[in-house]
């Protein structure tokens, strides 16, 4: 995405909404250096009402990226540090007894926000990880039999360190499938790292985004207008069949024990549609599907142990499938 304006404000007009969302990259770049693909992925997830898993080694600005996005979009955000002793009620909220009224009242947890940053989600046991499932899928929290709706927009941006790191728990497959995208955050290039250190030497404080110049360039009205425009983006039967063929090919791959489910196929169609709209088209082309295939599908497949030992990765399998599945003309 290339920003076309630095001063776009909340409007509700689809054309202006696209400009405002494109301007996010320039605004977030004031705080985060060289993570344009991750910024784009987060915007795509917001347009699709999906959630994002950010994976990278410690210290590559995963948390800062999410905080900068919330500031540039003028969204309420909360952060939960996932630790081995974190309980499900610490995320969702719980009933608290009020001695004055002699009644129980619900105390909302940090999940009641627009953008929940689940920091290092794979450092907490599966029971607590799974406490997010209802919130992510149903956009509500049920406590003591009473469902409580979450605000809209609502996005979970979960960060995790690679699973081979000490003290981490692999996410359950059912939870992984609830994430629309899995974005890998690489180590910065040499020049990007020099830029990061230069900013810090000049007084940049990652805890003070306002001082860094990050300002709201879009709002909920822009997001709602953009979602409505994305829903009108045309998908031809040939593109639908192309997405199905890609996902079915993962189920037949000899390198995989688990292929992409129909939920994953639906997700790929949705993300390709959002990307098409962001790039200025009102119809989806095969390249849109290819661009979003890796981040949408890489966490929905499971490698065979012998393939993993040979150095095969989920990305390499998906790339091979994209190279062999016939592209519609």
């Amino acid at each position: 995405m290339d920003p076309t304006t630095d001063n776009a404000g909340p409007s509700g007009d689809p054309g202006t909404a696209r400009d405002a969302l494109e301007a996010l990259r320039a605004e977030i770049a004031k705080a985060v250096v060289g993570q344009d693909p991750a910024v784009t992925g987060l915007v795509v997830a917001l347009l699709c009402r999906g959630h994002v898993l950010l994976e990278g080694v410690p210290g590559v600005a995963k948390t800062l990226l999410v905080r900068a996005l919330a500031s540039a979009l003028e969204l309420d955000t909360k952060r939960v540090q996932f630790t081995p002793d974190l309980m499900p009620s610490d995320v969702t909220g719980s009933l608290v007894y009020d001695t004055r009224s002699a009644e129980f009242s619900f105390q909302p947890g940090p999940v009641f926000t627009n953008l929940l940053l689940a920091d290092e989600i794979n450092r907490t046991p599966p029971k607590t990880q799974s406490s997010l499932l209802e919130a992510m899928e149903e956009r509500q929290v049920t406590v003591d039999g009473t469902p409580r709706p979450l605000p809209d927009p609502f996005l979970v941006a979960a960060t995790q360190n690679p699973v081979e790191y000490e003290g981490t728990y692999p996410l359950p497959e059912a939870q992984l499938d609830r994430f629309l995208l899995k974005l890998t955050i690489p180590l910065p290039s040499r020049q990007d790292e020099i830029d990061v250190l230069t900013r810090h030497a000049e007084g940049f404080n990652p805890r003070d985004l306002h001082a860094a110049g990050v300002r709201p360039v879009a709002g909920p009205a822009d997001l709602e207008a953009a979602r409505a425009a994305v829903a009108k983006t045309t998908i031809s039967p040939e593109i639908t069949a192309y997405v199905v063929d890609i996902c079915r090919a993962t189920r037949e791959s000899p390198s995989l024990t688990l292929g992409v489910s129909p939920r994953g196929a639906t997700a790929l169609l949705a993300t390709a549609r959002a990307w098409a709209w962001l790039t200025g088209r009102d119809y989806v082309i095969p390249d849109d599907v290819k661009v979003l295939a890796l981040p949408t599908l890489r966490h929905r497949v499971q490698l065979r142990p012998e393939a993993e030992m040979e150095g095969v990765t989920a990305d390499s399998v998906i790339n091979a499938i994209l190279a062999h599945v016939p592209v519609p003309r």
Side-chain angles (χ1 to χ4, degrees):
M1 295 191 301
D2 292 323
T4 58
T5 177
D6 289 329
N7 301 305
S11 68
D13 175 74
T16 306
R18 184 189 285 115
D19 293 342
L21 292 177
E22 287 179 346
L24 283 174
R25 189 173 83 171
E27 203 64 25
I28 293 173
K30 295 176 181 178
V32 182
V33 176
Q35 296 295 357
D36 292 346
V39 174
T40 302
L42 286 164
V43 173
V44 167
L46 281 167
L47 291 176
C48 298
R49 291 183 168 87
H51 309 287
V52 176
L53 184 61
L54 301 167
E55 183 176 276
V57 298
V60 290
K62 299 186 295 294
T63 303
L64 179 60
L65 174 63
V66 175
R67 290 179 52 240
L69 175 70
S71 295
L73 272 174
E74 209 169 15
L75 296 177
D76 181 47
T77 182
K78 291 186 174 68
R79 175 181 176 274
V80 179
Q81 180 66 50
F82 279 68
T83 57
D85 60 348
L86 190 74
M87 299 297 292
S89 58
D90 295 331
V91 179
T92 60
S94 59
L95 294 175
V96 178
Y97 184 72
D98 188 336
T99 55
R100 289 174 295 182
S101 64
E103 293 180 349
F104 285 94
S105 61
F106 178 67
Q107 183 66 37
V111 75
F112 287 86
T113 187
N114 296 126
L115 203 164
L116 176 68
L117 174 57
D119 221 349
E120 296 187 302
I121 191 172
N122 62 336
R123 289 199 178 278
T124 198
K127 179 180 180 181
T128 303
Q129 293 172 2
S130 299
S131 67
L132 280 175
L133 282 176
E134 182 187 14
M136 293 170 68
E137 187 66 19
E138 306 297 334
R139 299 180 183 274
Q140 67 178 24
V141 168
T142 301
V143 176
D144 196 32
T146 303
R148 294 173 168 85
L150 296 172
D152 184 45
F154 172 69
L155 179 144
V156 174
T159 72
Q160 71 169 14
N161 300 324
V163 293
E164 64 266 19
Y165 272 62
E166 185 177 354
T168 59
Y169 300 81
L171 297 181
E173 285 79 6
Q175 186 177 5
L176 278 173
D177 205 36
R178 262 47 174 209
F179 284 101
L180 181 72
L181 300 172
K182 179 182 177 182
L183 306 174
T184 55
I185 310 297
L187 288 166
S189 66
R190 181 176 182 272
Q191 186 56 53
D192 284 345
E193 195 163 1
I194 289 173
D195 291 345
V196 170
L197 267 63
T198 300
R199 289 186 181 192
H200 280 264
E202 292 172 350
F204 171 70
N205 181 1
R207 296 173 184 81
D208 190 353
L209 294 178
H210 186 78
V214 179
R215 301 288 186 270
V217 293
D222 292 308
L223 197 55
E224 195 57 40
R227 287 172 171 176
V230 168
K232 296 176 182 176
T233 301
T234 303
I235 303 173
S236 69
E238 292 78 15
I239 293 294
T240 302
Y242 182 50
V243 170
V244 168
D245 289 344
I246 291 171
C247 294
R248 290 182 68 86
T250 66
R251 302 167 203 163
E252 299 166 2
S253 171
S255 299
L256 302 175
T257 59
L258 179 68
V260 177
S261 68
R263 190 208 306 272
T266 302
L268 180 54
L269 199 64
T271 56
R273 198 179 204 179
W275 174 250
W277 180 82
L278 278 172
T279 53
R281 278 178 283 103
D282 60 357
Y283 57 91
V284 180
I285 61 174
D287 282 350
D288 299 326
V289 177
K290 289 182 177 181
V291 166
L292 271 300
L294 284 180
T296 308
L297 303 181
R298 59 165 58 110
H299 56 297
R300 304 174 192 271
V301 300
Q302 195 170 82
L303 289 167
R304 291 187 182 278
E306 55 269 29
E308 202 165 2
M309 290 177 63
E310 292 172 0
V312 176
T313 64
D315 284 13
S316 65
V317 172
I318 295 169
N319 278 326
I321 288 171
L322 291 174
H324 285 91
V325 172
V327 179
R329 298 186 179 277

